[in-house]
């Protein structure tokens, strides 16, 4: 997700302009070789990034549940949603004090049944997008503004904020028995924030698509999805990194440069069964972190390696990242790895840390940044603390 000034830059525009296939124009791109044993690089998270803590206000009325997710961190606000209960919390970015809280869970036309596909913060317009059966748009205070009824909206969609006028929609593979043919071959599109209408379809075409899920049959005609969770499309500031399960090419999407292929891989994702997939973890101006994973539904999963690609020198290495604040195991080989994709500025990452863990690190005098200061007033039952990493 960053400065790639030595790459061959190929602009991919939208419908009506030049379209380049997802597997084309990749012969001059840097190649990640999954068969190669790359050298190990041991890193310390606290040397890689400056750290800031923002404790979120805790009161009887402001208690984050177990399925709360950190959605966005902007210059002014922190957006959190509770998936099942439907609560939306907007906190002040600097103080952590509650700015607003609303819940419009219900069956009405201005409500949502649950938050199936996350929330989006549009700070410029002071709007929150709640992605459920449709996309409901509210003010920061929870006033209903409009509904975006996107054609073919599905619970397996991924929706990301793209620019002032549009959202990026990703249609996942349809695994429902009898409806597999409904899977789109061109799954990436941009839709209007105003009314949900289609703006364009990205020029990323898949003749064959793979899924991180399968349909498990149950008694009668019932079925349930069995899936491995992984990240594929992630924010890089206002831009987006696209590393699709079915593609050998990784892309960078920006509003001013269009769609640019950045990296490719060998062997191809199409070359073996089970599939050896890749997915992004973090991108900065200096490097990208990503992982590989064998998509074998006969296993329960396993620890996967973290690879680092250095944009300036084109070097690939295995990255072992030690979190010196929270990883106290003397034998640890590094365990920090981004697990979510909150929307935040470039070269930054944000995550929840439980208050009890912050207190333990405080007692061990391990906290960096302003951690020691904010931890003094925490109690174990407080809401999670937001840790913000600013990569150097």
């Amino acid at each position: 997700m960053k400065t790639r000034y030595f790459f061959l830059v190929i602009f991919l525009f939208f419908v009506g302009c030049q379209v380049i296939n997802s597997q084309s124009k990749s012969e001059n791109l840097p190649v990640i070789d999954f068969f190669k044993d790359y050298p190990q690089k041991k890193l310390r998270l606290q040397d890689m990034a400056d750290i800031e803590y923002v404790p979120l206000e805790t009161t009887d009325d402001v208690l984050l549940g177990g399925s709360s997710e950190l959605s966005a961190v902007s210059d002014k606000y922190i957006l959190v949603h509770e998936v099942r209960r439907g609560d939306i919390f907007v906190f002040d970015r600097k103080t952590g004090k509650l700015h607003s809280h609303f819940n419009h869970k219900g069956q009405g036309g201005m409500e949502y049944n649950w938050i199936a596909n996350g929330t989006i913060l549009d700070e410029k317009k002071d709007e929150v997008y709640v992605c459920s059966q449709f996309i409901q748009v509210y003010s920061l205070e929870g006033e209903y503004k409009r509904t975006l009824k996107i054609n073919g909206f599905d619970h397996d969609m991924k929706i990301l904020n793209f620019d002032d006028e549009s959202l990026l929609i990703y249609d996942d593979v349809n695994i429902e028995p009898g409806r597999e043919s409904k899977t789109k071959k061109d799954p990436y599109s941009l839709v209007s924030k105003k009314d949900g209408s289609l703006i364009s379809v990205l020029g990323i075409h898949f003749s064959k698509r793979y899924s991180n899920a399968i349909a498990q049959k149950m008694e009668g005609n019932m079925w349930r999805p069995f899936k491995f969770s992984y990240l594929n499309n992630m924010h890089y500031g206002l831009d987006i990194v696209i590393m699709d399960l079915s593609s050998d090419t990784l892309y960078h999407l920006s509003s001013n440069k269009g769609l640019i292929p950045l990296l490719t891989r060998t062997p191809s994702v199409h070359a073996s069964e089970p599939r050896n997939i890749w997915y992004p973890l973090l991108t900065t101006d200096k490097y990208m972190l990503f992982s590989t994973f064998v998509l074998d539904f006969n296993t329960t999963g396993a620890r996967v390696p973290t690879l680092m690609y250095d944009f300036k020198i084109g070097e690939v290495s295995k990255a072992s990242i030690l979190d010196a604040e929270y990883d106290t195991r003397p034998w640890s080989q590094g365990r920090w790895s981004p697990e979510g994709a909150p929307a935040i500025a470039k070269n930054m990452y944000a995550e929840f840390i439980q208050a009890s863990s912050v207190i333990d690190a405080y007692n061990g005098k391990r906290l960096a940044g302003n951690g020691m200061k904010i931890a003094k007033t925490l109690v174990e039952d407080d809401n999670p603390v937001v840790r913000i990493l600013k990569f150097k």
Side-chain angles (χ1 to χ4, degrees):
M1 309 181 225
K2 316 312 168 187
T3 305
R4 340 269 198 202
Y5 40 78
F6 70 104
F7 290 133
L8 171 66
V9 178
I10 303 174
F11 297 124
L12 303 185
F13 296 99
F14 309 125
V15 170
C17 302
Q18 180 185 9
V19 176
I20 299 178
N21 184 280
S22 65
Q23 301 299 329
S24 68
K25 304 297 182 183
S26 61
E27 61 271 10
N28 295 316
L29 299 178
V31 178
I32 308 299
D33 187 346
F34 285 3
F35 284 158
K36 187 172 181 179
D37 186 16
Y38 290 110
Q40 184 81 25
K41 181 179 290 187
K42 293 187 177 182
L43 303 167
R44 185 175 178 271
L45 181 62
Q46 284 68 26
D47 295 331
M48 300 169 65
D50 294 323
I51 293 175
E52 176 189 0
Y53 285 90
V54 181
L56 300 182
E57 180 179 355
T58 305
T59 67
D60 291 341
D61 297 324
V62 187
L63 291 174
L64 303 187
S67 60
S68 295
E69 294 186 4
L70 177 61
S71 178
V73 178
S74 70
D75 290 339
K76 294 181 180 179
Y77 305 111
I78 295 172
L79 177 64
V80 177
H81 65 266
E82 214 285 339
V83 176
R84 296 182 179 87
R85 295 192 315 214
D87 290 302
I88 308 290
F89 298 94
V90 181
F91 295 94
D92 183 273
R93 159 70 174 80
K94 294 183 178 179
T95 66
K97 297 295 183 182
L98 184 70
H99 173 82
S100 61
H101 167 218
F102 62 91
N103 186 323
H104 294 311
K105 185 176 179 180
Q107 301 298 322
M110 300 180 184
E111 299 172 319
Y112 46 86
N113 50 18
W114 64 299
I115 305 177
N117 293 299
T119 55
I120 292 171
L121 172 66
D122 188 331
E123 184 177 278
K124 287 185 179 180
K125 298 179 181 178
D126 287 339
E127 291 181 337
V128 174
Y129 294 71
V130 179
C131 306
S132 186
Q133 67 272 44
F134 300 113
I135 299 178
Q136 306 286 34
V137 185
Y138 304 93
S139 70
L140 294 185
E141 286 69 37
E143 178 187 1
Y144 172 82
K145 302 187 77 171
R146 62 191 178 277
T147 297
L148 308 184
K149 292 190 176 182
I150 297 173
N151 184 33
F153 191 95
D154 189 279
H155 285 297
D156 288 329
M157 271 187 174
K158 185 174 178 64
I159 305 163
L160 295 175
N161 193 27
F162 181 56
D163 59 21
D164 291 345
E165 305 301 326
S166 61
L167 303 171
L168 176 70
I169 304 294
Y170 172 70
D171 287 285
D172 210 341
V173 174
N174 195 325
I175 65 167
E176 182 179 348
R179 300 189 68 232
E180 295 88 348
S181 62
K182 301 295 184 180
T183 295
K184 294 183 179 180
K185 301 297 184 181
D186 303 277
Y188 294 93
S189 60
L190 296 176
V191 301
S192 168
K193 286 183 173 180
K194 182 179 180 180
D195 57 14
S197 61
L198 178 67
I199 296 175
S200 60
V201 178
L202 300 195
I204 304 180
H205 177 80
F206 303 110
S207 57
K208 187 173 181 58
R209 294 186 65 191
Y210 310 114
S211 177
N212 64 313
I214 58 174
Q216 282 189 334
K217 292 183 179 180
M218 302 172 65
E219 292 184 3
N221 294 322
M222 302 296 290
W223 67 281
R224 64 182 178 185
F226 172 74
K227 66 170 57 179
F228 289 109
S229 297
Y230 74 102
L231 305 172
N232 52 0
N233 309 307
M234 295 186 63
H235 284 288
Y236 164 41
L238 296 177
D239 300 343
I240 295 172
V241 169
I242 296 175
M243 182 182 271
D244 196 278
L245 172 63
S246 304
S247 178
D248 290 339
T249 305
L250 179 146
Y251 296 92
H252 176 196
L253 175 65
S254 69
S255 58
N256 60 336
K257 293 182 179 180
L259 192 61
I260 307 169
L262 294 180
L263 300 174
T264 189
R265 52 168 284 175
T266 187
S268 169
V269 68
H270 310 286
S272 64
E273 181 64 52
R275 310 290 166 187
N276 193 340
I277 67 171
W278 60 344
Y279 57 94
L281 297 172
L282 174 74
T283 305
T284 74
D285 287 336
K286 294 182 178 179
Y287 49 80
M288 168 178 282
L289 298 177
F290 58 93
S291 273
T292 67
F293 180 72
V294 177
L295 198 61
D296 185 353
F297 294 101
N298 294 316
T299 69
T300 57
R303 184 178 176 85
V304 294
T306 297
L307 298 178
M308 173 182 283
Y309 180 77
D310 188 304
F311 290 120
K312 185 175 182 179
I313 63 177
E315 178 182 273
V316 183
S317 59
K318 292 180 182 177
S320 176
I321 303 176
L322 173 67
D323 185 347
E325 291 178 279
Y326 298 104
D327 191 349
T328 58
R329 300 169 298 173
W331 46 268
S332 175
Q333 296 299 308
R335 68 168 185 174
W336 183 82
S337 181
E339 295 181 354
I344 195 170
K346 286 186 177 182
N347 299 314
M348 298 174 69
Y349 177 79
E351 60 189 351
F352 276 152
I353 304 291
Q354 294 302 314
S356 59
S357 297
V358 178
I359 293 170
D360 182 68
Y362 170 77
N363 292 332
K365 296 181 170 41
R366 299 189 303 271
L367 292 173
N370 65 335
M372 296 299 289
K373 179 180 178 180
I374 68 98
K376 290 180 180 180
T377 58
L378 288 179
V379 296
E380 289 198 359
D381 292 334
D382 279 347
N383 282 325
V385 177
V386 178
R387 179 168 70 162
I388 300 172
L389 306 174
K390 303 175 184 179
F391 288 90
K392 303 172 184 178

